[in-house]
Amino acid sequence: MRYNPRARLDRSQVENRRGGGGGGGLGGYPDGGGGGGLRVGGGIGGLVVVVLVVLLSQFMGGGGGGDTAPDTGTSSSFDQCRSGADANTNADCALVADVNSVQGYWEQALPRQAGIRYDPARTRVFTGQTQTGCGGATSDVGPFYCPVDKYVYLDTTFFRDMLQGQLGAKGGPFSVAYVLAHEYGHHVQDLLGTMGKVRSQQGAGSDAVRLELQADCYAGMWAKYATTVRDEDGQVYIQDLTQDDISRALDAAAAVGDDRIQRRSSGRVNPEQWTHGSAEQRMRWFTTGLQQGTLEACDTFSTRQL
């Protein structure tokens, strides 16, 4: 995965609320890029369900709350992240580039395919704990999207401590991009009103699983066109993706499959407790979005075969 050195990054889409403002960054990539190791800013703990939509809007009084997240005190911008060249050498800047690319894609795709405007969501990076429109959150929750304040929340220690550490994923820059694209897929679902379809919260065929698999499919849609998304000056954000990048995204999707997590945590697989779908399902729906690139192809709520 290589970013275009001439791409201009929009730092306003990402907030840093890590302890002390500027410390505790992503540092180098966990594998396959950048060099260096992650700086730890809070443990993941015994996470069982990851990449979670913490509270759906219908459980929070039907949305509301505007598009501004609660203030949590310390704040810092990603001042060093100005171009794709910065993204190629700094994983914090790569995160900004990924967010810019994902949102740039949906700004074009959502009006074209669904006839509605894409309203941007911001990403808040934190360590340890933070307050959100959906209540308090800690590192144990994993990355999530809050439909109340329209923010994606991310403790960057997740990638080392949980995704690679406890779940055994290969890691690499595009596995981080996959997680972000998945969470922004939830934002797209929020804009489309899909979250209002969720009634059943658990089980292999539940609405919760359908919601998560659709977000994986939406992540695949972005991946299909990731090298074509441009900044305001017409420069693409991402110059190239390799098959290894795609493989690492699929590996990350598999690592957060319910069956994989259950097998690692208890040694048993119980589909009745699934909330996100199996490893095979998550890879397959990501691949569906990658190959077909349409909202229609990602309609997990209409299909019988998940």
Side-chain angles (χ1 to χ4, degrees):
M1 182 179 187
R2 184 174 53 177
Y3 300 95
N4 177 10
R6 294 181 292 179
R8 182 184 301 178
L9 303 186
D10 181 359
R11 304 184 301 277
S12 70
Q13 295 184 15
V14 182
E15 292 181 5
N16 183 11
R17 294 299 177 95
R18 292 171 291 207
L26 267 168
Y29 291 112
D31 186 88
L38 289 172
R39 297 180 182 178
V40 180
I44 295 297
L47 183 62
V48 175
V49 178
V50 297
V51 196
L52 179 69
V53 181
V54 174
L55 292 170
L56 300 183
S57 54
Q58 65 261 36
F59 301 133
M60 299 296 295
D67 58 3
T68 302
D71 183 76
T72 60
T74 305
S75 179
S76 174
S77 63
F78 285 64
D79 287 337
Q80 76 277 20
C81 302
R82 300 180 179 274
S83 70
D86 300 320
N88 281 325
T89 59
N90 182 298
D92 270 356
C93 300
L95 187 150
V96 176
D98 292 339
V99 171
N100 290 171
S101 177
V102 171
Q103 298 213 92
Y105 167 71
W106 286 113
E107 284 175 359
Q108 299 298 317
L110 200 59
R112 185 172 63 249
Q113 295 196 30
I116 68 170
R117 187 183 72 177
Y118 178 79
D119 293 324
R122 301 179 77 181
T123 290
R124 173 165 290 170
V125 178
F126 71 97
T127 53
Q129 60 185 0
T130 192
Q131 289 297 317
T132 82
C134 294
T138 70
S139 302
D140 290 346
V141 174
F144 67 96
Y145 167 74
C146 174
V148 177
D149 58 32
K150 317 301 183 188
Y151 267 68
V152 170
Y153 289 90
L154 173 68
D155 185 327
T156 53
T157 62
F158 166 82
F159 296 105
R160 188 197 71 175
D161 292 354
M162 175 53 65
L163 191 61
Q164 288 183 263
Q166 293 191 34
L167 299 179
K170 296 177 182 177
F174 203 62
S175 66
V176 176
Y178 153 72
V179 171
L180 285 166
H182 173 98
E183 297 309 329
Y184 274 94
H186 287 312
H187 179 55
V188 172
Q189 292 170 325
D190 189 18
L191 295 175
L192 290 171
T194 311
M195 288 185 172
K197 296 181 179 181
V198 176
R199 297 293 183 268
S200 53
Q201 304 297 317
Q202 202 171 69
S206 67
D207 294 338
V209 166
R210 293 176 187 274
L211 195 77
E212 296 298 332
L213 295 178
Q214 186 175 67
D216 282 331
C217 193
Y218 288 173
M221 287 177 63
W222 163 72
K224 178 178 178 65
Y225 296 104
T227 57
T228 70
V229 182
R230 299 178 182 274
D231 67 10
E232 292 183 355
D233 297 329
Q235 295 289 335
V236 294
Y237 289 105
I238 298 173
Q239 283 188 323
D240 64 71
L241 292 176
T242 67
Q243 186 55 50
D244 180 66
D245 292 321
I246 299 300
S247 295
R248 287 173 182 271
L250 289 168
D251 176 72
V256 293
D258 283 325
D259 54 338
R260 293 275 187 93
I261 294 173
Q262 288 178 337
R263 192 173 290 112
R264 281 180 173 269
S265 62
S266 68
R268 298 188 308 118
V269 175
N270 183 0
E272 293 182 1
Q273 295 179 349
W274 287 4
T275 58
H276 286 66
S278 69
E280 185 276 331
Q281 288 173 323
R282 301 199 68 164
M283 290 190 294
R284 177 159 46 82
W285 280 103
F286 177 86
T287 301
T288 296
L290 180 67
Q291 292 177 343
Q292 301 193 38
T294 66
L295 293 171
E296 183 180 6
C298 293
D299 186 3
T300 56
F301 283 83
S302 295
T303 184
R304 293 183 179 181
Q305 180 60 45
L306 287 176

